[in-house]
Structure formats: structure tokens, C-alpha cells
Amino acid sequence: MAARLLLRATRKLALVTTAVGGGVAAAAIVTSDDPATAVKLCATVPLRLTRLSFTAATIAFDYEYSLWGLPEDSSERTKVKHEVHMRSARKIEELCFKNGGIYIKLGQHIGQLEYLVPQEFVQRMRESLLNRCPVSSYDQVCEVFNKELGGMPDEIFDEFDPVPIASASLAQVHVARTHDGQKVAVKVQHIHMTDTAAADYATVELIVNTLHRFFPTFDYRWLVDEVHESLPKELDFRVEAQNSVKCMENFRKLSPHIADYVYAPRVYWSLSTSKLLTMEFMDGVQVNDVKKIKALGIQPHDVVKLVSQAFAEMMFKHGFVHCDPHAANLLVRPLPCEKRSIFGKNKPQLILLDHGLYKELDLRTRANYAALWKALIFADARGIKENSVKLGAGEDLYALFAGVLTMRPWNRVVDPSVDHLALQGDDSDRTELQMYASQYFLQISELLRRLPRVILLMLKTNDCLRAVNNSLLKGSSLETFLIIGRVSSEAVIETKLVQHKSSFCRIKLWLEELLLEARLFGMQIALWLLQLKRNLPLLNQ
């Protein structure tokens, strides 16, 4: 019966998506200033919609048919479900590559939802969609150049390499040299991205809403809403350029103590448009390439501390956060001023790339988020509950929210030991995480529906940073939690200073700051003793 209902829904879905595609394509012809491009879109958009409809329908049918009649907790159902997950992940990967653009962006989002999506999907999306994005041909690149700057690449630049050094979901990057000899990186948007984005979004939204209607537990409408809000900004490279400038200004004004250690490429404004972005070329290594980082004379541990410090400052003090910090967007190089650590190692400088996706936290949200992280670091159950509720998790799901943020069960979150939030980065951690994700799937879906979208992006940012840390150290660095605890606590105190300006309140906050320093010092001593205890068996071998 369910299978017949699903087949009927699939037919209706195909008809509606075709109608939507036809309507969008017809509108493109009527309103377009470029009829040839519009006609081309009329041929491609319906095909993209058909692929989407077919993939969604076959995946839904596969789950419904393959798991039909299998007992809920049986080993056979677990085995079959794993096989369906693997097949479905491959189908989504294939759809993303064939349709490109917004589909790859959605696939990348899925790859970050480790606390919600089955591991088979997470692993497949991370392995493929971050490193093997489609590449535009040189003719397509020339078409973009001609429309945007009125000339061919070899006319605009003295040298231009037609082979891109990197490609992402929305654009690809070429190396060039300006007429005055400056080596630059040129980001070129994939052709027709803005033309197909509206149709792609409309049909993805329709598919997700339809699947949610037939399968209420399938509720990813919040993810579609987030892409709808962020994609237009990411497709305008002038916004990206402005974001990079604002980011650096924030570090200089609000975090001068680490401003020299964080860098964004300089923008060449006269050679940049909404679809072309020319930047200073950066020599550096990806933040997860441990071997090359060590070859530069830099300690991976120092890189982890710098990444944690930089993003803690953005989240808790700047309120303007780079929300796509996966490894390809973070480079490391030795600090140009040649400062060295006391052990003779080079100090790292973090280079931030791809500034298209930023989120602003208003003062109230930023203060509550900082207070929540302070409570998490210090295992303050009352503070965790209070600030989770303020952020929208509710009194029934605040413990789950703490678990999603830290990837730790509640009993570990409120454990007073100094390493209570540490992840080992091994298979047992991943197995435990997936077990909780499966057990609390419905509650997590409800939590994500409740939370403000800006907090959803903070979750994604946390996941990216956790993956970076794990690749560098194969687990959590306990010192990063001390950094987060310090920066979040400082932000809470700074917020209180702004709100309460009386002499009595300032004295009270000064005492609070002294107590904080004492507490952090105690945690640092405990951390050193813990590390010493762990290293003693290795020294005796």
C-alpha cells in the first residue's frame, strides 16, 4: 500500500517539477537579455529537474521497499539499512556531480551533518564533494570574462593559466599575472550559476516539502531555507570581497593581539565583479596537511591553537563569522615577520580563503552563545540550560543541544574533569556519535527546526573546525577548550561591562575576571599534570 502511494506521489512530483521547470525556462526566455543563453537554459533546466525527481523517488522507494517488514531492532534490518544508505549516498553524489552548482553546495552541507545524517552519507559527501568539483572549460571561462570585463583573459592579464588550480561548487580558481607583474589568483564563477539557481532552489524546495509530507520524519526544510538565504550572497563575489575586508578590520580593531597571525588575500577591485574575483596569490599549505606543515618548521599543535583562537574571537567577540572553514579554505604559512617560538620553531600564520559565507550574530545572540560555551567548558549544568533555552533549544532539548555542540553525551558534558569534552578521534568516538544520532534522530530534527538559522551555521562551523583539529592531532587538543573557555568568558565580561557602567558593577566584574584567571590557571595546571601522566608510560618504554 505504502509503495503504491509512493509511486503515485512520484508521478505527481515528476509532473509538478516538470511544470515548474517549464515555467522557469519560459520566464527566462521572456525576460532574458540574452535569448541564446535563455534557450540553452530551456534545454538544461528540465533535464536537471528530471534527474532530481527520479533520484528522490528511487531513494524513497528503496528505503520503503527494502526495509518493509523487517523487525526494528533486528541484525538483518541493520545490515539492509546500511546497504540502502550506501546506495542512496552514491545516488545523491551522482546527482550532485551531474547537476552541479547548488546541488554540490547542498551535498557539502550534508557532509557536515555528522550529528544527524547516517555516516555512509557523511563519508561519501566529504570524500567526493570537497575535492572533486566540476570544472568549467576554458571557453566558458572566456565567456564569463568577456561579459564581465569586456575582454579575453590573455588581454586582461599579462599571463593567465587556462588550467584551474582548484574548483569548488560555485567557481574555480586560475593563476594569473597582472600587467605590472603581480601574481594573482582569479576566481571565476561557473557559467549560468545565477541563471539556474532560482529554478534549482524552487525544485529542491518542492522535493523536500513533498517528501516531508509523505515521510514526516524527513524534515530538511531548514537546510533548504538556509541555502536560499546564503546562496545569493555567495554568488555575488563583491560581497565576498567586502567580507574579507571586514574580517581583517575586525581582527585589527577587536583582536589586535592575534591580528598579525590571521590574513586574507588582498582584493584587486578594478579586476573584480560579481562573477570574477581577483586576489593576491597566496603560497601556503592546506591546514590538514601535517607533513607539509612540519616541513615548514611549524608545529601542528600551534596551528590547532591558532585556528581555535581565531574562530573563537570571530564567534564571541566580532560577531562576524566565516562559516565555511573546511580544510581547502584554510592555508598555513610561516609568520612573515620571522618570529620564532622559544623552541626555535616557526610561528604559523592562518590564511582565510573563500569569504562568501559569513554570518552576523547580534549582540544578544552572541552574548548568549558565548555564555553557553563558557558554561560548557566549565561543566556548569545550570548555565548550559539557561543559555540553551535563551537560544531557542527549549527546556526539553537543552541537553541534546549541548551534546550536538560538543559531540559528547550529557554525562560527559557535565563531568567536572578537565578533559570532559575531549574526543579521541578514533572509531569508538564515531560509533558512539552515530548511535546517538540514530537514537535521537527525531529530537535532533526538532532541535534544528527550533534553533535560529545563525546558530545552525555555527554548528556547521564547529563541525568544520572539529574535522580540522582531528586531522592535525587525531583527536581533540585539550588546550583548545581552554582557549574557547578564555575567549568566551572574556566576551561575557565585556558584554556585562557595556551593560553595567556603575563603579560597583565594574569592581564586581573585575573580581569576576580575577576569579576567571585563577580558574583557568588551575585548569592549565591540571592539564599539564594530565599530559605528564599520559606521557610517562611512553618515556618508560
Side-chain angles (χ1 to χ4, degrees), residues 363-374:
L363 182 60
R364 182 179 178 182
T365 302
R366 177 158 53 90
N368 291 335
Y369 193 58
L372 173 58
W373 267 106
K374 176 188 175 184

Side-chain angles (χ1 to χ4, degrees), residues 394-411:
E395 296 202 5
D396 56 333
L397 295 180
Y398 74 91
L400 184 63
F401 185 30
V404 168
L405 277 170
T406 61
M407 296 297 177
R408 298 281 77 189
W410 178 249
N411 64 316

